[in-house]
Amino acid sequence: MEDYRTGADGDDGSSDVDAIDFGTLVCNLQDLVKGKDTMMPLVDFQEKKHTGWRQLKVSSSGVVIVDGAYALHSTLRSLLDIRVAVVGGVHFSLLSKVQHDIGDSCSLDYLIDSIFPLFRKHIEPDLHHAQIRIDNSFVCSFREPYYKLKCKNESSDGKKLYSFEQNKAETENFIEMYLRPPFASEEMKIDDWIKVRQSGIRYYLSLGDQRIVDKYFIIRPKAEFEVGRTTLGGLLALGYSVVVSFKRTCTSVNRDQLLIVAETIDTLNKTFLVLKGPSRKIVAAEASKLGIKGPWITKSYLEMILESKGVPRLNTPPPVFSTLLTESQEKKIAAPKPICVSAEKIRNLYELMQPWTRSPPKKLEQEYVLAKWQFIPDSSSRSNIQLAPLPDSYDLDRGLLLSVQAIQALLENKGYPVIVGIGGPSGSGKTSLAQKMANIIGCEVISLESYYKPEQVRDYKYDDYSSLDIDLLTEVIFEGVYTLHPDIRKLLDFWIAVVGGVHSHLIARIQRDKSRAGFSISQTEIMTTVFPLFQQYIEPHLVHAHLKVQNDFDPVLSPESSLFVLKSRKQVTYQDILEVLDASKVCSSVQNFTDVYLRLAGVPSNGQLTEGECIRVRICEGRFALLIREPIREGNFIIQPKVDFDISASTVSGLLKLGYQAVAYIEASAVIYQDGKILIEVDHLQGMAIPYLQIKGTNKDMVSSAGSALSLHGSYTTKSYLQIILESLPADDNVSVGIHNQQAARIQELVEFIQSQGGSFNSDSSSPMREMSSTDSVLDDMQSRIRKLERWNTVNMVLWTILLSAIVGYSLYQKKRH
């Protein structure tokens, strides 16, 4: 809706409802509804004027999305089939920041009216008409940061390091302002200031100097969002003051995943060359290719300006405490808290009273204030010091930031090498966190799975600690379920525990299935049965972690990490496939797998077995994996999350113990070709004469182009392999109950195999879990007997009361008669 501002000629960047050209927008939408191409306006926000029109063609998907603060306005609502309202994000983050800076002197309504004066009057009332309401708790994250290398754009002899071709370069001018909070002292750290960037009539705001410096790299999150000029005026009215202001002129060239920029800062009267992009390796490679060797600058322009004015550098990231704690200070450090997945926290009364449109989904303390790392003496460690554990747990984004800061603090105070271990249950997000940390720090990740003993691998004992060959471990970031075991923990400098993720999704899925079947089951019972070794061998060690992370991101329910899949039965040749993929990077492999579909007995069904009501377990190359699919079918595409995580045989055996039944299976051989961008899989299903072809990738256009190159148009199917196999089987009366006669014998063999592999873990009568289960049974029996005695006692009292009343009544009657 930004392109429909009629006030583009003015100097007010606020999103006033009167500045929106609803008439043109409505006409454009009506044209699209009628299947007609339309002309929409173009606005140059630097020049503050309309520049023309561009053609908007009718989409083949038949879907149009209108995005803007006033997208749910009454003028548009009759044209909308789906109304979605989103609140939260950096909007709430700014409110939390201002509340933190000025204290409790102002109410939330007053702050909203000051910072977002149009929200309560013109935006919030329309949000209540939404059919879907979203509280966006995601604010700022280093999950997908960008990396910068910065140096002066001239060599020692005065020559420019990089010259731009004028016809290919773009030039922009910005004014940057830094606002210091009210009541703040002159010595306040600059990472507590608010940054405002003005570009023409548009204003962009970011909270503080959010960055990490690693070696020569400046690493920043994507944490900037657009505000109106009235927001800047509101902050100034609340007492914020502009401390530093300067003009920045940027001349840039965009090269795919790399941006090369010459930035001139008027206050410094200097020009700097900046290379930045989402890949650390690409940025470093381009610097090497250009022959630029520095010297690299890691200071921000703000720090350089303050130093030029004689103000000392106020914050050197990361903000950590490097001094050792005294003995009295050590006692103040709270003991680590258990990191079990807790139930949803009840919000306080004040939060419950607030409308959903203005209730920050996260606590202020977690939203804005992060813990600082401290060190404590430790004679048993290699460096005689260790990190003091943080008592609280954090979400994945804050955990990632704290992890990188901890590594930098260890490098600064202990030196090389720093060994980091990340532990937690299967599917909790250990590998994701490790890879993101490694991308930022620039190191490798080793999985504990690489250290299984060969003889244990043959016996499927992947979740048994004795299966690990500890003597082979080397110094790197590494992750695994037993990473925080005492035998490994003593080798580590930094311990991280992660819970949640897909691990929690499976627990919730089991509880949901049990509820649909008319039963209830506790999380403890699920953990004891499905993850029999977690409570005994893994969970006790997680509480000792320096950093505890609760990963509330569920990739199963999020389309962000989805794969786009095209499936066809058309036959193609090997040469055809090579022409689609990058021949210099293509690699191939062969996998033989068996998929077993588990369904809980008693769950209502329409008589047709579907993939959505089953838990799929894949047995491939001696490994068990859980394949969770909640696909979306859109046209020819199957859009599904990429959520496959290894589990143990004991987990599958535990699912069978909870009442899940194997109701179908698929056996297949897959030939896989991939080049890093596209994956092409040729699946030979048992019992099917012609193989199926799947094209998979995270980029929908690339997948579509590959399908077109292979001439697959008109041959696509969105059916699952389970549906295809079941439809190919002859009619059978037993299909309605979930098991086809033709598959029954093989299913029984697979169940017996799973039980033979996982049964040993569940049959250990001496394990604490079995003792706990036995104790629970005794307690349940005792409670049942007590309830029976209480019921009998109640009945007994009633009978005695009736009898005594009868005797007393008869005695009184006889006495009166005499």
Side-chain angles (χ1 to χ4, degrees), residues 659-672:
Y660 282 85
Q661 297 177 345
V663 292
Y665 78 93
I666 294 172
E667 290 186 314
S669 176
V671 184
I672 302 170

Side-chain angles (χ1 to χ4, degrees), residues 105-301:
S105 58
C106 299
S107 67
L108 181 60
D109 284 346
Y110 182 81
L111 292 180
I112 292 176
D113 289 341
S114 299
I115 304 173
F116 305 108
L118 302 176
F119 176 75
R120 285 211 303 163
K121 182 179 180 182
H122 295 297
I123 300 175
E124 188 177 37
D126 294 328
L127 301 183
H128 295 289
H129 294 276
Q131 299 150 322
I132 301 173
R133 300 175 177 180
I134 298 175
D135 281 336
N136 178 22
S137 60
F138 181 78
V139 179
C140 170
S141 173
F142 282 87
R143 292 191 199 185
E144 297 179 356
Y146 64 90
Y147 301 84
K148 293 175 59 175
L149 286 175
K150 180 169 67 177
C151 65
K152 291 182 180 179
N153 192 24
E154 60 180 27
S155 59
S156 56
D157 56 2
K159 295 181 179 179
K160 287 187 177 182
L161 293 179
Y162 188 87
S163 298
F164 294 86
E165 297 181 29
Q166 294 302 320
N167 59 333
K168 296 182 179 180
E170 295 182 359
T171 300
E172 292 181 287
N173 294 304
F174 306 104
I175 295 176
E176 293 192 1
M177 295 167 278
Y178 288 84
L179 279 61
R180 186 169 59 204
F183 318 118
S185 63
E186 294 288 336
E187 293 77 21
M188 184 179 183
K189 288 188 175 182
I190 61 177
D191 56 2
D192 289 329
W193 296 358
I194 293 178
K195 174 184 174 182
V196 178
R197 181 169 64 90
Q198 180 184 357
S199 174
I201 62 172
R202 309 182 82 164
Y203 292 80
Y204 301 88
L205 184 145
S206 58
L207 302 179
D209 188 23
Q210 299 174 333
R211 62 186 173 125
I212 295 172
V213 174
D214 184 64
K215 300 181 179 66
Y216 304 121
F217 281 91
I218 301 170
I219 308 166
R220 289 186 181 275
K222 298 173 182 176
E224 193 177 63
F225 71 109
E226 186 174 2
V227 297
R229 193 177 71 171
T230 52
T231 296
L232 175 60
L235 291 171
L236 295 175
L238 287 171
Y240 286 83
S241 57
V242 178
V243 184
V244 175
S245 176
F246 60 90
K247 181 180 179 181
R248 179 157 58 103
T249 302
C250 299
T251 303
S252 62
V253 173
N254 197 339
R255 295 183 179 177
D256 194 17
Q257 295 190 54
L258 183 75
L259 192 67
I260 303 176
V261 190
E263 298 183 334
T264 302
I265 309 301
D266 66 340
T267 305
L268 297 173
N269 195 26
K270 293 179 181 178
T271 300
F272 301 87
L273 183 66
V274 177
L275 282 71
K276 60 183 177 181
S279 170
R280 180 172 179 150
K281 292 182 179 179
I282 292 178
V283 172
E286 184 65 22
S288 177
K289 180 181 176 181
L290 295 174
I292 303 174
K293 300 180 181 179
W296 303 111
I297 301 171
T298 58
K299 295 178 182 178
S300 67
Y301 295 133

Side-chain angles (χ1 to χ4, degrees), residues 75-95:
T75 308
L76 301 177
R77 279 205 297 269
S78 62
L79 296 171
L80 305 177
D81 297 296
I82 302 175
R83 300 184 296 275
V84 182
V86 184
V87 296
V90 193
H91 175 89
F92 280 158
S93 184
L94 178 59
L95 288 175

